[in-house]
Amino acid sequence: MELKARRHTAQDIGSAIDLCYTNGWTDGLPVVPPTAERVEAMLTAAKLDPQHQLAFIENRQVKVTAEKVAINAVMAGCKSEYMPVIAAAVEALADPKYGYHGPATSTGGSAVFMLLNGPIAKKLDINSGDNLFGPGWRANATIGRAIRLVMRNVIGTMPGELDRSSMGHGGKYSFCIAENETETSPWPPFHTTRGFSREQNAVTVFAALAPHQISNQLSADPQGILTTMCANMRISAGTNRKPQYAMVFPGEHQLTMKKAGWTREQVQNYCFENSKCSVAELKRINVMPGAVAAGDEKTMVDLVETPQDFLVIAAGGIAGVQSSYIPGWGGKNGSQSVTREIKV
C-alpha cells in the first residue's frame, strides 16, 4: 500500500504529539500520532485505496482522499473498524444539498451532527442511550472528532480563518449518536425514511446548532409533550427560519408516543401546525423588523417548509422526561441533511 502523505520524524510519542500542536493539526486536545501502520490499518478496514477520492469540496477546490481521511481518523483516536462510517460521512459532506461552504464558514457556528443507523451502530458500540450528547463512548467521541479534524486539516476550515463562528458550541469537537432501534422505539429507524432498509447501515449528516433541552413531566399524551416542544421551537421562526430541525426523544417520551400509537408522520404534522408563530410576535421580540401592523396577529409564519423537515429521532436514556430539538443551519434555503450508506 503506497502512502503519499508527507512524513515527519519525532523522537518519541510525546514529541510527536507536540509536533501536531506546533503545526496546528489538533482541535486543542492531544492526538494519536498517525504512523504508517495505523493509517494502513484504517484503509484496509474500509477496503479503500489511499488515493481514492471520497469527496471534492467545490468552494475550496479541495480533493479529499481516503489516505488523508485515514490519517485524521487515526489522530482522532478511532479504531480501524470505524473507517467505513467516517468515509461515508465525508462523502455526505460533499453533497450539494449539504452545501459545505455555508455552514462551515458562517458566523452562525454550526457543527456536523451525525446520526448512525443499522446493525453497525450496535457492532461498533455507538451510544444511543444515557448521556447521549455527553462523553463516555469512544466510538461517538472519535468518529465525530475525525470529521472535525478532516475539516480542519484537509479542507482548511480553521477557527478564526475559514471558520468564522462567533461562538460555536461543544458539538464542534464531536456530535455523533446512534438511534435507538430496539423494540422500545415508537418508530422505524430514521434511515428507512431515506429509502434504506432496516438491515442497511447509514449515516446522516446535518449542519446543526447546539441541542436545546426541554422538559415535560406533566403530560401523559403526545400532544402535551409536543406542545411544550413547539413552544420552545417557535421563537426560531420568521427571518431566522431554519431549513430543518432534529427532534430527539429519549425513553420516557418514546414510551408515551408508543403507547398512543403515534407515528413519526403524526409527530411531524402536529409540530408543523403547532410551531407557527405570528408576524406580530416576531416583531415584538425583534426577530422581524418593523412595528406591529394590522393583520400581523393573524399572519402566521411556518417554522420549516414541510412537515418532513422535522427529523424525528428516538434516542437517549430510559429515565427522565427531557427531550431535545436541534436547529439546523441557515434560513429556509440553508443546509439540508444528507444520508449515505455505510459500505462495510
Side-chain angles (χ1 to χ4, degrees):
M1 184 179 292
E2 183 182 2
L3 302 180
K4 294 186 177 180
R6 188 171 38 151
R7 304 297 179 97
H8 297 265
T9 302
Q11 292 180 338
D12 52 37
I13 190 169
S15 299
I17 292 171
D18 287 341
L19 178 67
C20 292
Y21 275 115
T22 299
N23 286 285
W25 298 331
T26 86
D27 51 10
L29 296 172
V31 295
V32 177
T35 63
E37 293 77 15
R38 292 185 180 121
V39 173
E40 288 173 357
M42 285 283 174
L43 294 166
T44 300
K47 298 181 179 179
L48 288 170
D49 181 89
Q51 303 315 309
H52 172 70
Q53 181 175 305
L54 289 171
F56 184 76
I57 307 302
E58 186 72 30
N59 290 78
R60 299 291 295 162
Q61 291 293 293
V62 171
K63 176 183 176 182
V64 183
T65 65
E67 179 182 359
K68 292 176 182 177
V69 172
I71 289 169
N72 285 276
V74 171
M75 293 170 70
C78 292
K79 292 183 178 181
S80 57
E81 53 262 42
Y82 301 168
M83 185 61 184
V85 176
I86 299 162
V90 169
E91 289 177 353
L93 288 182
D95 191 299
K97 284 178 59 182
Y98 184 85
Y100 179 88
H101 186 73
T105 63
S106 167
T107 58
S110 70
V112 180
F113 172 67
M114 299 168 61
L115 175 67
L116 276 294
N117 283 108
I120 198 170
K122 185 176 181 181
K123 181 180 178 182
L124 299 183
D125 192 28
I126 301 171
N127 183 31
S128 64
D130 293 328
N131 206 33
L132 184 68
F133 297 120
W137 274 262
R138 180 177 181 177
N140 298 58
T142 62
I143 290 172
R145 188 187 186 199
I147 296 301
R148 176 55 54 178
L149 289 178
V150 168
M151 293 172 66
R152 178 188 183 97
N153 296 331
V154 184
I155 306 172
T157 312
M158 300 287 286
E161 296 178 15
L162 188 64
D163 178 355
R164 302 299 297 177
S165 296
S166 298
M167 293 185 290
H169 63 86
K172 297 187 84 166
Y173 277 105
S174 181
F175 208 2
C176 175
I177 67 169
E179 188 171 31
N180 169 28
E181 296 186 14
T182 70
E183 65 279 356
T184 62
S185 173
W187 310 300
F190 177 81
H191 68 315
T192 63
T193 69
R194 300 289 172 88
F196 296 94
S197 70
R198 181 184 287 269
E199 292 73 29
Q200 287 179 289
N201 298 303
V203 58
T204 299
V205 299
F206 174 52
L209 305 183
H212 298 248
Q213 183 172 292
I214 65 101
S215 181
N216 182 317
Q217 60 183 347
L218 301 177
S219 300
D221 55 72
Q223 294 95 324
I225 294 169
L226 296 177
T227 297
T228 303
M229 181 78 81
C230 289
N232 279 265
M233 292 192 295
R234 196 175 296 128
I235 197 171
S236 299
T239 55
N240 287 334
R241 189 171 91 171
K242 304 302 179 187
Q244 293 178 321
Y245 278 74
M247 301 172 65
V248 183
F249 297 93
E252 290 194 31
H253 287 173
Q254 285 179 38
L255 182 60
T256 301
M257 302 288 178
K258 191 175 182 70
K259 282 183 175 179
W262 270 48
T263 65
R264 179 179 272 117
E265 291 73 23
Q266 283 177 286
V267 173
Q268 291 170 321
N269 290 331
Y270 186 92
C271 289
F272 186 73
E273 292 302 323
N274 291 277
S275 61
K276 301 174 189 290
C277 193
S278 71
V279 170
E281 179 63 11
L282 294 171
K283 287 182 175 179
R284 281 193 287 266
I285 62 175
N286 302 310
V287 173
M288 290 184 74
V292 176
D296 284 351
E297 297 288 358
K298 295 182 178 180
T299 303
M300 307 302 290
V301 178
D302 296 330
L303 186 64
V304 291
E305 189 171 354
T306 71
Q308 291 70 41
D309 289 320
F310 289 111
L311 315 180
V312 178
I313 300 163
I318 296 173
V321 290
Q322 292 77 35
S323 289
S324 290
Y325 69 91
I326 306 171
W329 174 87
K332 63 179 181 179
N333 297 316
S335 177
Q336 298 287 316
S337 59
V338 174
T339 303
R340 282 287 183 276
E341 182 179 10
I342 300 166
K343 299 167 185 175
V344 205

